[in-house]
Amino acid sequence: MTDVVLDGVEKVYPGGLTAVRKVRLRINDGELFVLLGPSGCGKSTILRMIAGLEEITSGDLWLNGSVANDLTPRERNVAMVFQEGALYPHRTVKGNMMFPLEVSGGDRAEASAKVVELARALGLNTMIDRLPGTLSGGQRQRAAIGRALIREPSLFLMDEPLSSLDAGLRTELRVEIAALVRSSRTTTVYVTHDQVEAMTMADRMAVLRDGVLEDVGTPEQIYEDPATVFVAAFLSSPPMNLLQARLWAVEGEGLLLDLGPQRLTIPWDDPRASSLISHHGQMVIAGIRPDTLVPIAPGSPARPGTVLSGQVHGLEFHGHEWLAYAQAGIPTVDANEFGRPRPAPAMAAAQPGLRDRLRGMLGRPSREPGRAEEHAGHHRRSDLIFRANPGQRPNRGDHVALTVDLDRMLLFGADGRRVTPVQR
């Protein structure tokens, strides 16, 4: 059993590329911990540094209370499973699973019995004498997991082990893997870019972007109480509505969210009011998930300051529900534009960026040199996305009024971080 601590760990490659930026993280003994983030965010680099396959540029890695920066992979007693199982093609399933025990020089009869027992737990007992080339992708991954677990490592590392499998098999295997590693009580670090895998498997999880740790907590904590707008959007499916607003404190009314053509009002007795009042006159981002927008039946009353409206222009059928897209005239923002690490200052005069070149091609004026944009994001399509039951879906062209569950609305500042306290 092992606990893992990353104390200011950083990875900088030759040429100055920083893949991981001062990550501080604790993974508890026996925990199934998931590193989640988009491609290139540094999650696999962290895994490889824990394994000893990648050198740490600065900071310390602690394994079970001791600094492990200079330990070899063998000395760290870790086992790793990659995206592809990488089995020995000339060895049977049993031969592959036996290999670590043969190398360690243990009793062969005892090792064979151990392999048979683990193969039964993995559902491989009927194919234990088959070669990898005759197995399906899921069976090969099970065999690779068995080979890693058989030697009873102190730490189990999994780098996107299900990403090459089809959707149905991923669903089946993620349940099996989670149950297996929990039953073994082996500390496990699991890397994935799949939000569903992370949310369904993790005891706790960390969300990374551009090598920076954005948030850490249980899946429920991070979903309900995200620290940044990027985390909120990344864990929202269907996509979260991210609406640009200006916040005004209005005596006798409450905190007014000016969304351009529409308004929402947070009452003064809302627990968030004391934190929000300091943002009077500032631009904020209102994060509203589609399931917190409820269509109002014509003629039904609604509390003032809790309603947004728009015209439906798109519908998607998802079997158990419809997703509706309504044009509301409210400027929306892209979560990816907020809170990114600032690049090092250029030594020479900056060349026009991609966005400026595209603006020129489209006949749109670029920003004036030295003039900052009013907000950190940029406009995308002015839509509201909401859910509708199959028997109650609107039609294209309908005008709809939607009640907003203000208690579940999330508010972020221009830096992309929550403007109200995050509870952990």
Side-chain angles (χ1 to χ4, degrees):
M1 297 295 181
T2 299
D3 58 355
V4 182
V5 176
L6 284 78
D7 185 9
V9 167
E10 189 167 46
K11 178 63 181 180
V12 182
Y13 288 103
L17 174 64
T18 303
V20 176
R21 301 170 184 267
K22 302 293 183 185
V23 168
R24 286 180 168 81
L25 184 63
R26 182 184 186 91
I27 300 166
N28 298 318
D29 185 14
E31 192 169 42
L32 200 172
F33 193 94
V34 174
L35 298 175
L36 173 68
S39 297
C41 70
K43 55 189 185 295
S44 291
T45 303
I46 290 175
L47 201 72
R48 291 173 63 83
M49 287 192 289
I50 294 173
L53 303 177
E54 200 79 70
E55 185 179 346
I56 296 172
T57 304
S58 63
D60 290 319
L61 169 70
W62 295 72
L63 298 178
N64 229 19
S66 300
V67 177
N69 292 37
D70 297 326
L71 297 181
T72 66
R74 179 179 291 275
E75 291 170 330
R76 299 181 192 204
N77 191 25
V78 301
M80 194 164 180
V81 175
F82 299 92
Q83 181 175 334
E84 300 293 340
L87 300 172
Y88 298 111
H90 62 286
R91 283 177 169 261
T92 63
V93 170
K94 184 176 182 179
N96 270 280
M97 292 174 65
M98 281 277 288
F99 182 74
L101 302 180
E102 291 173 354
V103 171
S104 64
D107 180 81
R108 188 170 183 82
E110 184 180 333
S112 180
K114 192 174 181 180
V115 166
V116 170
E117 182 182 351
L118 182 56
R120 185 178 294 110
L122 289 165
L124 296 172
N125 51 305
T126 61
M127 54 200 75
I128 199 167
D129 295 319
R130 287 168 56 180
L131 293 171
T134 68
L135 303 177
S136 69
Q139 291 164 347
R140 287 194 296 271
Q141 269 313 52
R142 283 195 189 103
I145 291 167
R147 186 178 61 187
L149 282 175
I150 197 74
R151 47 185 285 252
E152 299 180 357
S154 299
L155 184 60
F156 194 26
L157 308 177
M158 307 185 78
D159 192 2
E160 305 214 43
L162 307 181
S163 60
S164 62
L165 306 179
D166 61 69
L169 193 53
R170 283 202 306 269
T171 301
E172 178 186 344
L173 277 185
R174 73 174 182 240
V175 174
E176 294 180 4
I177 289 172
L180 189 64
V181 298
R182 286 194 174 98
S183 66
S184 71
R185 298 182 180 179
T186 303
T187 306
T188 302
V189 186
Y190 187 104
V191 162
T192 183
H193 65 274
D194 187 311
Q195 299 92 324
V196 175
E197 273 184 34
M199 297 284 283
T200 55
M201 295 179 69
D203 295 322
R204 285 192 309 135
M205 57 192 281
V207 183
L208 294 119
R209 179 177 61 151
D210 296 334
V212 175
L213 191 61
E214 293 262 334
D215 207 350
V216 183
T218 67
E220 185 178 11
Q221 286 172 334
I222 292 181
Y223 182 83
E224 296 290 348
D225 200 23
T228 69
V229 67
F230 171 79
V231 172
F234 193 71
L235 289 180
S236 186
S237 180
M240 175 179 279
N241 298 290
L242 297 175
L243 312 180
Q244 180 182 295
R246 192 174 291 276
L247 183 68
W248 302 102
V250 181
E251 188 176 356
E253 292 187 39
L255 293 154
L256 181 71
L257 283 173
D258 182 356
L259 299 160
Q262 307 197 48
R263 307 284 188 276
L264 293 172
T265 304
I266 299 172
W268 283 117
D269 61 359
D270 189 290
R272 298 167 293 182
S274 58
S275 299
L276 292 172
I277 195 169
S278 62
H279 288 74
H280 170 71
Q282 297 180 21
M283 299 302 297
V284 296
I285 307 160
I288 303 173
R289 288 196 172 93
D291 59 320
T292 64
L293 290 171
V294 181
I296 303 171
S300 299
R303 184 160 61 92
T306 65
V307 177
L308 297 176
S309 61
Q311 183 177 26
V312 176
H313 71 85
L315 292 165
E316 291 180 354
F317 183 56
H318 289 253
H320 63 291
E321 67 179 3
W322 286 82
L323 282 184
Y325 297 78
Q327 289 185 339
I330 302 170
T332 63
V333 296
D334 182 352
N336 290 307
E337 295 297 321
F338 293 84
R340 286 188 179 278
R342 291 173 181 249
M347 298 301 292
Q351 297 298 314
L354 176 60
R355 192 182 302 168
D356 287 331
R357 294 200 300 272
L358 287 173
R359 282 172 171 159
M361 292 168 62
L362 296 171
R364 297 176 184 174
S366 298
R367 289 179 288 124
E368 295 177 18
R371 180 180 175 184
E373 292 191 37
E374 185 178 10
H375 60 90
H378 63 79
H379 293 269
R380 60 175 173 83
R381 217 151 133 195
S382 298
D383 287 343
L384 289 176
I385 306 173
F386 64 96
R387 287 172 152 152
N389 293 326
Q392 301 172 323
R393 73 166 180 86
N395 296 310
R396 289 179 179 83
D398 286 354
H399 287 271
V400 292
L402 306 164
T403 297
V404 182
D405 184 347
L406 295 179
D407 291 338
R408 294 182 61 196
M409 179 174 65
L410 302 167
L411 293 169
F412 305 90
D415 61 354
R417 304 200 68 80
R418 283 278 292 284
V419 298
T420 50
V422 174
Q423 305 297 324
R424 288 286 184 272

